[in-house]
Amino acid sequence: MSPKDYLTNKAFCPIPWTGLMYNFDGSVKNCIRSQTTIGNLKDNSITEILEKDIAIKLSMLDGKKFDRCTPCYDLEENTNKFNIISDRVFYLKELRHVDSNLYDTKNFSLNTVDLRWSNLCNFSCVYCNPEFSSKWASELKVEIKTPDDTARKDFKNWIFGQAAKLKHVYLAGGEPLLMKENLEFLEILKQENPNVNLRINTNLSKTDTEIFKTICNFKNVHWTVSIESMEEEFEYIRYGSNWVDFQNNLRIIKSLDHKITFNMLHFILNATSIFGCVDWLSKQGFHANSFVIGSLLGPDHLNIRHLPDSVLECVKNELQNRINDRPGYLLENSYKNLLQYIQSPIQKNYSNCLNKLRELDQRRGCDSTLVFPHLYTFIKAKKHDQTL
């Protein structure tokens, strides 16, 4: 296949040949969107895991979409444009200079890596879980088993040993600005590969760490900042956060010559307020191509589709009005995806959503009725109607 063939092959993604995603529980995936793991360091070495991942390569080279990659294929459905929000398209662009001779079923050469060394995080966002947040793990008293010291050390040495040839490094978590392994890795990259493309997925709570200072020494940095609401909603949703600190830290990274993208999730708690958040960020000077907004798929009790139909109708109208304004770029594409998602059917259980919020409030000493009073008026209105 020629380079053009790889671009026109809607099943093809370079990641099975060029990258991996590692999570601290030892699981290895092709990427974060992949629906299944390809192995675990508790059972096999990284080289053994990668050597066995052949079926996906055979399928893609044959132009057949592979099951574990459905999230990307679904996002690309019914479009031929390259401004869509899919990891497949992102990596086609990011790794466009990889020698096409690599794409044989027996080959693998690490060009990009997504690393989550631990679940260390100073937030416990309402939609997160112990796997990605040590705060959540502590709150729920959950212990996640990890590979033994030898397996972790061997994997780290394998990654560090390939630092010089990496084209793209994605650091996530947990909170990557708090992980000591990232400082070690960045110091090596600074010496061996200073022009690497760095992508940092952060809650932007800490800019006073050595990791942050080291990142500032790189020129090709892409900050992916998690935010989907403002003020007291922000602090409830991103539990452990401080809205004033976030604003200050955003100003700090905005002053750098780095790319910034906002990773936003749309769900019950910000069904309408997310639009005010987008508008606020836009007024700070951020371009329409800075917004990547997706519908929250889990946990189920926060799924926006559980909201009453009358509320969803208002959200649909707002989305359609914003699409009609044609903001273009990733923002418009996000709005279209959100609109399509909320129109898909679901077995509604709104009472369960509120019950889960009450449980969360009780554990944390919060009061969602004060932060999101409108959510509780829907139930009251329904009960009132039933008594008439």
Side-chain angles (χ1 to χ4, degrees), residues 12-26:
F12 178 79
C13 176
I15 287 298
W17 287 266
T18 60
L20 61 87
M21 176 260 179
Y22 170 74
N23 198 36
F24 86 109
D25 63 355

Side-chain angles (χ1 to χ4, degrees), residues 138-152:
S138 177
E139 181 176 320
L140 297 181
K141 297 178 174 57
V142 171
E143 182 179 357
I144 298 176
K145 293 182 179 180
T146 63
D148 61 36
D149 291 344
T150 299
R152 291 201 305 271

